[in-house]
Amino acid sequence: MYRSSRLLRLAGGTLTAACLCFAAGNVLAADNESGQQLKFAMVTHAQKGDTFWDIERKGGKQAAKNVGAQFIYSNHKAAGKQVTLVENAINQDVDGIAVTLAHPDAMKSVIKKAHEADIPVVGFNSGVAEWHETEANMFIGQDPQIAGKAVGKKLNELDAKHVLCVNHGQGNKALSRRCAGIKKTLDGDYSLVYVNGQSMSSVRSRVIAKLQQDRSIDYVVALGAPYAMTVVRSLPKLGRDVQVGTFDLNQSVAKAIQSGKLQWAVDQQPFLQGYLAIEALYLKATNGNTIGGGKAVLTGPSFVTKDNVDELLKYAKQGTRG
Amino acid sequence: MAITSSNQNAVAVAPAGQRFRKNAANVIKRPEIGSIGGALLVFILFFILAEPFRDPVSWSTILYQSATLGIPAVGVSLLMIGGQFDLSVGVGVTTSSLAAAMFAMQVTGDVWFGIGFALVLSLAIGGLNGFLLVKTGLHSFLVTLSTFLMLQGLNIAITKLVTGNVATGDISILPGFEVARTVFASDFNILGVSVNIVFFYWLLFVALATWVLLRTTIGNWIFAVGGDENSARAVGVPVDKMKIGLYMVVGFFVWFLGMHMLFSYTTVQSGEGVGNELLYIAEAVVGGCLLTGGYGSAVGSAIGAFIFGMTTQGIIYAGWNPQWFMFFVGLMLLLATVFNAWIRRQATQG
């Protein structure tokens, strides 16, 4: 009995301490709020711990800071959970919601709910083809298919004979559209391989296996910066000359482009997406503006190559480009 | 009794024949016998269907994939024989590499201190799992599910707190990196095939675990604890210490794979590793470990990992439609496991 009650007390103590911490945080937030502070929510379909999404979040946070608004961030990769998170934001009575539309159908009803509560919604990052149907007010992002097509054309210029698209999220619409875009404009042969984005050893093994299976592949395109780096590092094992390009950017990718190990990266400017999404909500709330005139506002694609990488690198180092 | 009723000559030869039969029966009743059948099935299938599968160069990739899946599975199989589960292994690997990378980069500036810190941390997490299990009396599934979720949160939150990002910086700039990479992640060239060093560590770990299980008192205790805890306690086995110890052994393997991941990929994303715990458990089960404990082998876990490695790579070598990838992986595992169970039944009946 004694032992169990001690355990209980310990658990109770920890819980109280945790509650106190949260309460203190809220008090601080309320302090500089002076009753009038605007509140914006950002809800994404990010996988936990993904570098790209961290940059999106930083963009949103910076925009909120600049306009003196409160910033509430939440994420879940599953559609159902993401819907619940948007509902939470509505219940918190925010002044605007920025939501990624990776699962546009699932978001329809909850966006309607937001409108009923008089909360404007901006779609961002994914869902460029479907955002109109969801009745979001605005959209900010990159069109993955347009970006993919641009990559396909670039690969034609670079004289790629057989391109392998490495998809790290089987079933993700935006990722498969990038590959589909490449396939559409590419003159040479095209192949696809799926890897497990949460296990680097699987990325390495499966890409190398595909390159061993088809020896005519001479160009690999990764759909995310960390995966591109793993591909670059595994290539010496292969003993064959294969070039690599990638979607999205981080510091290592920028350095690899500088040293010539990676040929190029497609930048969709995630910081800008997060930033503009919150900025658009702020302008909507304070000035009634709607950005884009009923059309999506595009943040990419732009190509990062050896020629322009130096300038980018300093921003990549502070973690705001990528 | 049949021996005494037969003639004189038969009496002379019977013991030898009997011994042979007894040995054969022992071999056939080994836990891993079924999984060997499953492995053969997968091997033959892809050998016929996938042309690159026959190329020795491809085996460097297959063995690499199997080894990275198999190293934690060695610990998991010991733990399962001892009657316990561990769901925190997958993210535990990421915790270990994150801890090493951040401690080395932010605190000491030398990779070896990071490696040491991660080892202590991984052993401590294992110890904590065991300690909580013993103290709360909860099922290990629940205890380790809790630590799994907590580690998943800590991995991301602490990385963000320390580095400001959700991935660690590039560790290859630190002193000591090259030596550490040689120890944990170098490649060997054997008969024209490049084989990663983790493969040899894997073999070593499997051999060590097998020796402990079959030849030492501790091995007997592991079987005893997993078979019947109360009778084990009654004959004087230190059951609680054994459980905590087993979790710490798992912690060691988790640390080892974590170091390999860190030194071959140089940065770690904090969200990695989720889902792998189920693969490690599946490998141990395919390799003959009972979910209820008290029966199984380390060699079996290795064969389980090998089945999984051959399957995931073989599907790509066969050039099957990539959309169906996960379906094929599941189907192959199911086939291998059913075949494995069938062989085991035949063996134990015969």
Side-chain angles (χ1 to χ4, degrees), chain B residues 20-85:
Chain B
F20 173 76
R21 263 200 304 278
K22 199 168 161 247
N23 283 343
N26 277 345
V27 166
I28 237 164
K29 280 179 185 161
R30 296 280 316 143
E32 59 272 6
I33 195 73
S35 60
I36 292 174
L40 271 175
L41 181 81
V42 173
F43 178 83
I44 291 168
L45 197 84
F46 284 117
F47 195 84
I48 295 169
L49 292 175
E51 192 255 312
F53 201 78
R54 291 167 231 158
D55 185 348
V57 175
S58 305
W59 281 81
S60 112
T61 325
I62 294 170
L63 293 179
Y64 175 73
Q65 181 69 295
S66 308
T68 51
L69 289 167
I71 285 173
V74 177
V76 169
S77 67
L78 291 179
L79 189 71
M80 280 179 76
I81 296 170
Q84 314 298 328
F85 263 106

Side-chain angles (χ1 to χ4, degrees), chain A:
Chain A
M1 267 332 277
Y2 170 70
R3 182 176 290 165
S4 76
S5 77
R6 204 172 53 173
L7 252 181
L8 265 178
R9 248 185 299 156
L10 185 73
T14 322
L15 210 66
T16 324
C19 289
L20 279 176
C21 285
F22 281 119
N26 280 337
V27 168
L28 281 179
D31 254 359
N32 51 22
E33 165 174 309
S34 68
Q36 287 292 316
Q37 195 189 21
L38 289 168
K39 246 193 312 198
F40 298 120
M42 177 176 273
V43 185
T44 75
H45 68 279
Q47 281 186 15
K48 287 196 180 108
D50 186 314
T51 332
F52 176 88
W53 287 102
D54 193 45
I55 298 169
E56 292 267 3
R57 179 184 183 167
K58 279 180 185 161
K61 198 174 175 188
Q62 185 63 50
K65 196 179 161 196
N66 287 359
V67 300
Q70 196 184 331
F71 180 68
I72 305 164
Y73 180 87
S74 56
N75 65 298
H76 204 287
K77 61 178 175 180
K81 296 273 172 56
Q82 205 194 344
V83 168
T84 314
L85 293 175
V86 177
E87 270 166 1
N88 290 347
I90 296 172
N91 295 337
Q92 282 170 286
D93 198 24
V94 294
D95 297 287
I97 299 172
V99 59
T100 60
L101 301 173
H103 319 283
D105 294 333
M107 292 301 144
K108 271 181 193 162
S109 62
V110 76
I111 290 178
K112 196 168 248 167
K113 238 184 233 175
H115 287 322
E116 278 160 14
D118 236 1
I119 300 172
V121 175
V122 57
F124 75 110
N125 174 261
S126 347
V128 72
E130 302 92 349
W131 73 277
H132 265 296
E133 295 161 34
T134 64
E135 292 177 38
N137 302 68
M138 308 163 257
F139 185 85
I140 290 156
Q142 171 174 261
D143 187 328
Q145 181 123 25
I146 291 180
K149 282 181 184 168
V151 168
K153 281 181 193 152
K154 174 123 190 137
L155 288 166
N156 291 341
E157 282 168 30
L158 295 168
D159 209 24
K161 301 276 184 298
H162 187 168
V163 174
L164 175 69
C165 199
V166 181
N167 187 328
H168 60 266
Q170 190 171 2
N172 177 315
K173 259 188 183 167
L175 293 185
S176 61
R177 276 198 191 128
R178 287 176 171 180
C179 287
I182 296 175
K183 195 180 177 185
K184 203 160 250 175
T185 51
L186 185 72
D187 294 332
D189 290 329
Y190 166 89
S191 291
L192 170 71
V193 68
Y194 289 107
V195 297
N196 175 3
Q198 284 183 330
S199 166
M200 276 305 170
S201 65
S202 112
V203 176
R204 162 169 162 175
S205 307
R206 289 186 201 167
V207 171
I208 293 294
K210 187 64 199 174
L211 291 171
Q212 284 166 337
Q213 185 245 331
D214 196 328
R215 284 160 212 280
S216 66
I217 296 171
D218 62 345
Y219 225 111
V220 177
V221 178
L223 301 186
Y227 315 106
M229 288 317 295
T230 296
V231 173
V232 165
R233 290 204 187 96
S234 325
L235 281 180
K237 280 180 81 73
L238 195 69
R240 189 169 96 221
D241 193 27
V242 176
Q243 313 268 61
V244 188
T246 184
F247 283 82
D248 300 339
L249 195 70
N250 65 16
Q251 203 182 329
S252 322
V253 161
K255 277 187 188 153
I257 290 174
Q258 214 170 23
S259 66
K261 285 183 194 150
L262 239 162
Q263 310 307 309
W264 45 263
V266 181
D267 190 11
Q268 65 167 314
Q269 311 194 76
F271 187 87
L272 188 62
Q273 290 179 359
Y275 189 94
L276 286 183
I278 296 301
E279 189 72 51
L281 288 172
Y282 174 75
L283 288 170
K284 179 87 184 163
T286 56
N287 206 33
N289 292 125
T290 303
I291 195 170
K295 290 245 163 66
V297 176
L298 298 190
T299 58
S302 70
F303 280 91
V304 178
T305 62
K306 214 169 183 172
D307 301 327
N308 60 2
V309 70
D310 293 347
E311 182 200 346
L312 264 171
L313 203 58
K314 66 175 181 210
Y315 303 119
K317 266 185 190 147
Q318 69 192 37
T320 56
R321 279 305 287 269

Side-chain angles (χ1 to χ4, degrees), chain B residues 100-173:
Chain B
M102 288 192 285
F103 194 78
M105 288 195 104
Q106 323 281 341
V107 185
T108 63
D110 184 283
V111 294
W112 291 100
F113 285 104
I115 293 168
F117 175 72
L119 176 61
V120 173
L121 183 76
S122 287
L123 292 176
I125 292 171
L128 180 74
N129 268 332
F131 178 78
L132 286 174
L133 183 86
V134 169
K135 287 295 167 197
T136 60
L138 292 172
H139 193 283
S140 60
F141 187 93
L142 258 177
V143 171
T144 59
L145 179 65
S146 313
T147 41
F148 161 60
L149 295 172
M150 287 192 281
L151 286 181
Q152 206 183 330
L154 285 176
N155 281 355
I156 293 163
I158 293 185
T159 311
K160 179 90 186 158
L161 209 65
V162 173
T163 66
N165 297 308
V166 288
T168 62
D170 191 339
I171 196 171
S172 63
I173 51 168

Side-chain angles (χ1 to χ4, degrees), chain B residues 264-281:
Chain B
S264 34
Y265 301 102
T266 70
T267 57
V268 198
Q269 294 195 89
S270 54
E272 269 180 47
V274 179
N276 283 352
E277 63 284 342
L278 294 178
L279 298 185
Y280 306 143
I281 291 171

Side-chain angles (χ1 to χ4, degrees), chain B residues 220-299:
Chain B
N220 275 331
W221 287 354
I222 295 174
F223 280 108
V225 171
D228 187 341
E229 201 182 306
N230 291 328
S231 35
R233 195 168 272 133
V235 296
V237 177
V239 173
D240 290 355
K241 277 186 194 154
M242 286 299 298
K243 285 184 186 168
I244 296 174
L246 279 173
Y247 275 102
M248 290 175 76
V249 168
V250 174
F252 171 80
F253 289 115
V254 160
W255 165 78
F256 189 86
L257 183 63
M259 292 312 101
H260 168 73
M261 297 299 286
L262 177 62
F263 290 105
S264 34
Y265 301 102
T266 70
T267 57
V268 198
Q269 294 195 89
S270 54
E272 269 180 47
V274 179
N276 283 352
E277 63 284 342
L278 294 178
L279 298 185
Y280 306 143
I281 291 171
E283 286 153 20
V285 174
V286 167
C289 291
L290 284 186
L291 285 162
T292 46
Y295 185 79
S297 78
V299 176

